[in-house]
Amino acid sequence: MARSRTLFKRITLFGLVLVGLLGLPLAASAVGKWAEGPTHWSQARRDSAEIAPPAATTPEAVIQVYAARAWSWRGIFGVHTWISAKQPNADHYTRFEVMGLQLRHSDTAVRVTNRNPDGYWFGSKPELLRDIRGPEAEALIPRITAAARSYPHAGTYRVWPGPNSNTFTAHIARQVPELRLDLPPTAVGKDFIPEGGIFAEAPSGTGYQLSLFGLIGVMLALEEGVEVNVLGLTLGIDLKNPALKLPGVGRIGMQD
């Protein structure tokens, strides 16, 4: 009986700690999102954040990966990610992303457009995650294009736990590991391994992960560090660039 009580207390304590680790960061994120105030999606900013180098005056090839808080309540939990690329001497960028709304008007959620490479995402300023230029970028752009075309869930979109926009970006990263892309902990859906997979390389290509439909899993990689996925929410420690990874909040510590 005494052992049973001790075990029950330990399980209860573990549960409270887990709820605190998941719930408190999300509560902080919700307060921050609420403080922004309501804005109708049609009035939210979509113009350039002026992060990407102008195509007309940048002769070299460019690849940039961005993340911005999702629209409305979704932004409490996570971000939307996309990849923008420009061939040498091109006068525009090509933007690769997935949008669930597109499935209402098309048979694919994959969008390959010439829109702003660094546009605000419905009012949220994007964060630059990766920047590659010159011959290295030129060599990777065709592979990014091929990976976008091979995305196996183009006809399916689920905000949680995936497949969604972050699943798409993670898929491209796995197909092109030279990107060495460390997606933020707020990229909900990045741990959904396509086609029902359970074991895969980490998106950065520097380690491996186990994941059950993006709901629960673990990752160990040089770039990402140690991450635990619980119901699509990420807790982790970045050992290379010391930082905590918390759901809703993101990184706390040294920038990647």
Side-chain angles (χ1 to χ4, degrees):
M1 182 66 70
R3 289 183 178 179
S4 297
R5 289 178 180 175
T6 300
L7 180 60
F8 177 75
K9 288 180 180 180
R10 288 179 178 176
I11 293 174
T12 301
L13 178 60
F14 175 78
L16 290 174
V17 170
L18 184 60
V19 169
L21 288 173
L22 295 175
L24 291 178
L26 287 176
S29 179
V31 170
K33 193 68 178 175
W34 174 80
E36 295 178 1
T39 302
H40 192 270
W41 68 267
S42 62
Q43 298 175 325
R45 290 187 66 173
R46 298 295 300 277
D47 59 303
S48 171
E50 299 184 355
I51 299 173
T57 58
T58 306
E60 64 181 348
V62 179
I63 296 172
Q64 293 187 321
V65 185
Y66 290 96
R69 284 284 169 175
W71 168 249
S72 187
W73 61 267
R74 298 176 182 86
I76 296 173
F77 298 90
V79 297
H80 170 78
T81 59
W82 68 91
I83 299 174
S84 295
K86 186 191 77 68
Q87 292 279 12
N89 301 310
D91 60 359
H92 66 275
Y93 283 82
T94 300
R95 178 164 162 164
F96 303 87
E97 64 191 325
V98 152
M99 285 186 65
L101 287 175
Q102 178 158 310
L103 283 176
R104 296 183 181 181
H105 314 288
S106 172
D107 60 354
T108 178
V110 177
R111 286 168 57 93
V112 181
T113 66
N114 296 337
R115 297 173 56 217
N116 282 334
D118 56 356
Y120 279 76
W121 183 252
F122 294 100
S124 295
K125 185 176 182 178
E127 173 190 0
L128 180 62
L129 303 179
R130 194 78 171 91
D131 189 326
I132 303 174
R133 305 191 187 193
E136 181 183 3
E138 182 178 359
L140 296 180
I141 290 174
R143 294 173 58 191
I144 290 173
T145 302
R149 290 174 178 167
S150 70
Y151 179 57
H153 297 291
T156 305
Y157 183 93
R158 285 193 299 267
V159 172
W160 176 88
N164 57 26
S165 63
N166 300 318
T167 309
F168 171 74
T169 304
H171 164 76
I172 291 179
R174 291 190 185 96
Q175 297 297 309
V176 191
E178 290 85 354
L179 290 173
R180 293 180 71 88
L181 183 58
D182 179 4
L183 289 169
T186 47
V188 177
K190 69 182 179 65
D191 296 316
F192 184 97
I193 300 174
E195 300 182 288
I198 297 176
F199 180 77
E201 281 192 312
S204 69
T206 62
Y208 295 92
Q209 68 179 119
L210 288 168
S211 182
L212 185 61
F213 305 113
L215 291 171
I216 187 167
V218 62
M219 180 188 299
L220 180 62
L222 178 62
E223 290 292 336
E224 286 93 345
V226 180
E227 293 186 0
V228 176
N229 171 27
V230 181
L231 299 179
L233 303 175
T234 295
L235 290 166
I237 301 176
D238 187 339
L239 302 175
K240 182 181 177 183
N241 301 295
L244 290 175
K245 296 184 173 185
L246 299 174
V249 174
R251 292 177 64 92
I252 298 179
M254 186 182 294
Q255 289 299 312
D256 198 350

